[in-house]
């Protein structure tokens, strides 16, 4: 994912440079990345609209050649070619956005690499310190969360990292950690259904993915209902519908995992 993550990393670094707070930088980064994928969204919507317009003709072909599947497919492909429509074009932008999402995740979960520009060798050495001083925390240190565990462990015992990071880099990490929260919520924590204490920070952390997923799902349902009202004969868009309804649920599950 380096090809995608590297340019996105510079965008994230620029956002943090402007606001000096990781939470606010994430909001800016979200807006900018949404603008990046906006052309894909437009293409997806145009393709969906064109497929909807062709639906009456497709239904006629299905009825006319109901007993001849091969002829039906030939006539459908002929119609697509005449109207210059790709039946899979509405799904492709969605998959491309999903691919870009992994690059975004790489940037968001690796602030030491993309914002503080720490070398991989230094990060690896720092994680070895985490494994020594806090084995339980180190268990969370998958390839995705490794840098977040370093931030947490360093905040608890900065002196343990002195030989690896030195005074200058250690001070930068401490300063960065102080600006790593939003409304008192530590953005490096994993949401959980069973926090040790249901304080404001735990509730806020819990509600971020839940509200995000619920709003995404509500918007999807609203858009589907509106489309059906405008075009009662509109087809069920197959893989498109699966992606639209699955993504909000998947995002909530993913947040509670990592």
């Amino acid at each position: 994912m380096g090809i995608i993550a590297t340019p996105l990393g510079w965008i994230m670094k620029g956002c943090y440079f402007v606001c000096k707070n990781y939470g606010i930088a994430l909001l800016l980064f979200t807006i900018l990345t949404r603008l990046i994928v906006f052309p894909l969204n437009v293409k997806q919507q145009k393709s969906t609209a064109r497929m909807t317009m062709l639906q009456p003709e497709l239904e006629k072909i299905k009825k006319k050649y109901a007993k001849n599947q091969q002829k039906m497919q030939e006539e459908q492909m002929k119609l697509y070619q005449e109207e210059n429509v790709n039946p899979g074009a509405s799904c492709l932008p969605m998959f491309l956005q999903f691919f870009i999402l992994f690059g975004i995740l790489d940037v968001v979960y690796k602030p030491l690499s993309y914002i503080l520009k720490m070398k991989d060798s230094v990060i690896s050495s720092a994680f070895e310190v985490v494994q020594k001083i806090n084995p339980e925390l180190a268990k969370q240190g998958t390839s995705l969360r490794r840098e977040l565990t370093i931030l947490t462990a360093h905040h608890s015992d900065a002196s343990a990292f002195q030989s690896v990071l030195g005074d200058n880099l250690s001070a930068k990490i401490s300063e960065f950690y102080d600006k790593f929260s939003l409304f008192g919520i530590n953005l490096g924590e994993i949401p959980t259904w069973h926090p040790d204490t249901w304080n404001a920070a735990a509730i806020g952390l819990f509600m971020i993915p839940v509200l995000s997923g619920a709003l995404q799902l509500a918007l999807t349902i609203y858009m589907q209902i509106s489309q059906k009202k405008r075009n009662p004969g509109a087809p069920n868009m197959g893989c498109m519908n699966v992606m639209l309804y699955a993504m909000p649920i998947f995002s909530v599950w993913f947040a509670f995992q990592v």
Side-chain angles (χ1 to χ4, degrees), residues 52 55-56 59 224-236:
T52 301
Q55 186 59 23
E59 288 297 326
Q224 293 295 92
I225 292 174
S226 298
Q227 182 176 328
K228 284 295 183 181
K229 286 183 178 180
R230 292 194 301 268
N231 302 288
N236 291 323

Side-chain angles (χ1 to χ4, degrees), residues 14-251:
C15 292
Y16 183 78
F17 178 80
V18 170
C19 58
K20 299 299 182 182
N21 179 280
Y22 194 69
I24 298 174
L26 278 177
L27 297 177
L28 292 176
F29 182 68
T30 300
I31 293 171
L32 292 175
T33 51
R34 291 294 292 178
L35 289 174
I36 291 173
V37 300
F38 180 73
L40 293 176
N41 284 327
V42 172
K43 185 175 181 179
Q44 174 188 324
Q45 293 297 327
K46 285 183 176 180
S47 179
T48 301
R50 296 182 72 180
M51 283 295 295
T52 301
M53 292 175 61
L54 287 182
Q55 186 59 23
E57 294 298 322
L58 290 171
E59 288 297 326
K60 290 180 182 179
I61 292 174
K62 287 181 180 179
K63 291 179 180 179
K64 185 175 181 179
Y65 301 103
K67 296 182 180 180
N68 189 337
Q69 292 295 318
Q70 183 176 351
K71 183 64 176 178
M72 180 194 302
Q73 292 175 4
E74 290 176 356
E75 291 298 319
Q76 287 176 337
M77 291 304 299
K78 182 180 178 180
L79 178 63
Y80 291 144
Q81 291 174 359
E82 290 175 351
E83 299 296 333
N84 195 27
V85 173
N86 182 353
S90 60
C91 293
L92 181 59
M94 182 69 74
F95 285 115
L96 287 175
Q97 291 180 64
F98 192 73
F99 183 69
I100 293 172
L101 174 62
F102 282 99
I104 293 173
L105 283 175
D106 197 53
V107 171
V108 170
Y109 279 90
K110 296 180 178 179
L112 302 184
S113 294
Y114 291 103
I115 294 180
L116 297 187
K117 296 297 180 182
M118 288 175 56
K119 296 180 179 179
D120 289 341
S121 58
V122 176
I123 293 173
S124 297
S125 298
F127 184 66
E128 290 176 3
V129 176
V130 178
Q131 292 175 314
K132 292 178 182 178
I133 66 174
N134 196 333
E136 286 300 316
L137 179 63
K139 291 179 181 178
Q140 297 181 10
T142 61
S143 59
L144 187 63
R145 286 190 55 84
R146 186 173 62 162
E147 296 185 16
L148 300 181
T149 60
I150 293 172
L151 274 171
T152 302
H154 182 273
H155 177 69
S156 300
D157 187 4
S159 60
F161 294 83
Q162 190 66 30
S163 61
V164 173
L165 302 176
D167 292 335
N168 187 39
L169 190 52
S170 183
K172 286 184 178 179
I173 292 177
S174 295
E175 181 183 1
F176 180 77
Y177 185 89
D178 291 338
K179 300 173 182 178
F180 196 69
S181 62
L182 184 66
F183 306 125
I185 302 171
N186 184 340
L187 299 175
E189 294 291 333
I190 301 175
T192 176
W193 295 90
H194 305 288
D196 296 331
T197 305
W198 279 105
N199 53 26
I203 294 173
L205 186 66
F206 175 87
M207 293 305 297
I208 288 174
V210 172
L211 287 176
S212 176
L215 288 172
Q216 289 180 60
L217 188 59
L219 180 60
T220 297
I221 294 173
Y222 171 77
M223 291 175 64
Q224 293 295 92
I225 292 174
S226 298
Q227 182 176 328
K228 284 295 183 181
K229 286 183 178 180
R230 292 194 301 268
N231 302 288
N236 291 323
M237 296 304 293
C239 63
M240 173 66 72
N241 279 339
V242 173
M243 293 293 287
L244 285 175
Y245 287 107
M247 284 301 292
I249 298 172
F250 175 75
S251 69

